[in-house]
Amino acid sequence: MKQHPVFSDYEFKHEARSPYVIFVEHAGKQTEAKEKEARKIVTRNANILESLYRQFHDTFGKRFDLPQISELDRPEQRTLKVFTFFNEKSFHDYQIKIRNQLPPGVRAYYRPSDQWITLYEGHGFEKAVQASTGTDFNTNKIFHEGLHQLIHAYTKVVMERELGEEVLYNDPRCRSRLMWFQEGTAELFGSCKLLDDGMYKCMVPYESRAREWFQTRQRKLSDWSFKEMMEVGGGGDLNRRSALKGMGRDAGRLSSLFYAQAWHWVYFLWSHENGKYREKYLEYAGKELSGRSGPAEFKKVWGEGDDDWSFKEMME
């Protein structure tokens, strides 16, 4: 990575775990303790991504005839990269260097123009162990952003196969036009459990997200109707709508609640009554992978109903 000007001031440890290359910044004076910590983080992140990749293919691979990333035709498509910076300062210095302005509080992101994930190693509450899963903040975020990375990569693959022509990574059809479904699916994979062998099981109940929405409804605070969720067009649009809906005072809670509701709805579609709605979930997921996402395509799968499009059962 040293030959790329963007990374000229950084030292990275890395590990190749097909189809990934995982980089972790090795900052400051090099000591045996720092070397050991960097190697530990690299291995943890590699285990996370290997677990994600395997379970992504278990969920979607056979259904949509998805090839292995390492077997794709063009060399630039065969590797997925993940960069972890040493701390928050290093992470934000990098954003300044590449002129990437992030909303407050962002600790990890996937940027389609780069096709890689960037995050920083958390400290304080980010590393607090969650009793329900045995995983920390960074683990959940890597799963979440890793799902976005895989969906983007495979949307390009599926679209090229169906259209018979090359599709660029920045083609707007490669981006979801149904934010709650994409983010809810990322949260579905982002909730995970650490196993005895150091690997992870995805798609377990996300207790903190479930609690967030339950407490909102219990306290009779404002939440998002299904119609409102369907209308949110992206991160910037969510921030704008949260500010308007919360009249400036409740925007942060509402923005976070959007993700909690998105997780709840996708988890419901996947798991309710032993998968009662799973086939429809997968049918619409196929549309997302084909670049045909959005409310109109969703309605073709689920049909028309009342204002909540027949989702009253899910809203309870």
Side-chain angles (χ1 to χ4, degrees):
M1 297 304 299
K2 292 294 288 186
Q3 63 268 32
H4 194 297
V6 168
F7 295 101
S8 61
D9 297 331
Y10 302 96
E11 293 284 347
F12 288 98
K13 296 293 179 185
H14 73 276
E15 178 176 330
R17 187 88 65 93
S18 182
Y20 295 96
V21 180
I22 299 97
F23 297 87
V24 173
E25 186 188 8
H26 199 197
K29 184 179 179 181
Q30 308 304 299
T31 65
E32 184 176 345
K34 282 191 174 182
E35 173 78 22
K36 185 177 180 180
E37 179 67 13
R39 180 54 53 192
K40 180 180 177 181
I41 294 169
V42 168
T43 299
R44 181 203 64 189
N45 290 0
N47 287 348
I48 292 169
L49 292 161
E50 182 181 336
S51 298
L52 170 64
Y53 187 74
R54 183 177 65 246
Q55 289 167 83
F56 179 89
H57 270 271
D58 288 346
T59 304
F60 302 115
K62 185 176 181 180
R63 170 67 179 246
F64 301 115
D65 192 25
L66 301 179
Q68 298 296 317
I69 290 288
S70 59
E71 297 172 354
L72 296 178
D73 292 337
R74 292 186 288 277
E76 67 272 16
Q77 291 182 273
R78 297 177 195 153
T79 303
L80 301 175
K81 298 182 179 71
V82 179
F83 293 89
T84 303
F85 285 89
F86 180 72
N87 56 28
E88 183 178 6
K89 182 180 185 304
S90 187
F91 174 80
H92 285 295
D93 286 347
Y94 168 74
Q95 307 311 316
I96 293 170
K97 188 170 187 177
I98 65 172
R99 298 180 181 179
N100 184 37
Q101 186 171 358
L102 294 175
V106 171
R107 296 174 174 84
Y109 65 91
Y110 169 69
R111 194 163 74 160
S113 59
D114 296 327
Q115 298 101 56
W116 63 58
I117 297 168
T118 308
L119 70 150
Y120 68 86
E121 181 63 15
H123 298 282
F125 78 90
E126 293 94 338
K127 297 195 75 173
V129 173
Q130 298 177 3
S132 60
T133 63
T135 59
D136 60 25
F137 175 87
N138 276 12
T139 300
N140 299 120
K141 290 301 294 181
I142 295 170
F143 271 107
H144 180 110
E145 301 302 333
L147 188 282
H148 287 314
Q149 186 181 45
L150 285 171
I151 289 289
H152 187 225
Y154 279 113
T155 299
K156 174 179 166 67
V157 169
V158 173
M159 285 181 62
E160 288 182 338
R161 184 172 64 198
E162 292 185 354
L163 297 173
E165 62 186 37
E166 183 178 2
V167 174
L168 300 178
Y169 278 110
N170 63 357
D171 189 309
R173 294 171 297 176
C174 286
R175 306 195 70 169
S176 175
R177 289 175 292 281
L178 196 59
M179 183 178 175
W180 77 260
F181 186 90
Q182 180 103 176
E183 294 300 336
T185 298
E187 291 287 85
L188 181 69
F189 279 82
S191 183
C192 53
K193 181 177 181 179
L194 178 62
L195 304 176
D196 292 340
D197 62 358
M199 304 303 282
Y200 296 82
K201 175 179 172 57
C202 297
M203 305 166 80
V204 303
Y206 207 150
E207 292 188 10
S208 61
R209 287 301 195 192
R211 190 180 310 114
E212 187 176 354
W213 195 25
F214 173 78
Q215 290 176 347
T216 295
R217 294 174 71 84
Q218 187 180 48
R219 295 164 60 190
K220 298 182 179 180
L221 299 174
S222 176
D223 63 5
W224 298 92
S225 71
F226 195 76
K227 183 176 184 296
E228 288 174 324
M229 294 282 283
M230 294 296 287
E231 292 172 348
V232 175
D237 189 38
L238 173 62
N239 292 337
R240 181 184 65 81
R241 289 173 182 268
S242 296
L244 290 172
K245 187 177 176 68
M247 295 183 290
R249 299 187 299 273
D250 209 19
R253 183 190 67 82
L254 284 165
S255 182
S256 178
L257 182 63
F258 178 92
Y259 287 84
Q261 289 187 231
W263 168 80
H264 178 89
W265 291 350
V266 169
Y267 185 76
F268 174 90
L269 299 179
W270 180 258
S271 63
H272 183 64
E273 293 186 3
N274 297 315
K276 176 180 177 181
Y277 300 112
R278 189 173 298 171
E279 182 60 31
K280 284 187 177 291
Y281 167 86
L282 289 169
E283 183 180 348
Y284 178 73
K287 289 180 176 290
E288 290 264 330
L289 285 170
S290 298
R292 294 179 285 118
S293 65
E297 294 296 329
F298 187 85
K299 289 169 67 175
K300 290 178 184 178
V301 173
W302 294 91
E304 294 255 20
D306 54 25
D307 287 343
D308 287 330
W309 291 351
S310 300
F311 270 64
K312 285 185 176 180
E313 184 182 11
M314 184 175 69
M315 296 289 287
E316 296 300 324

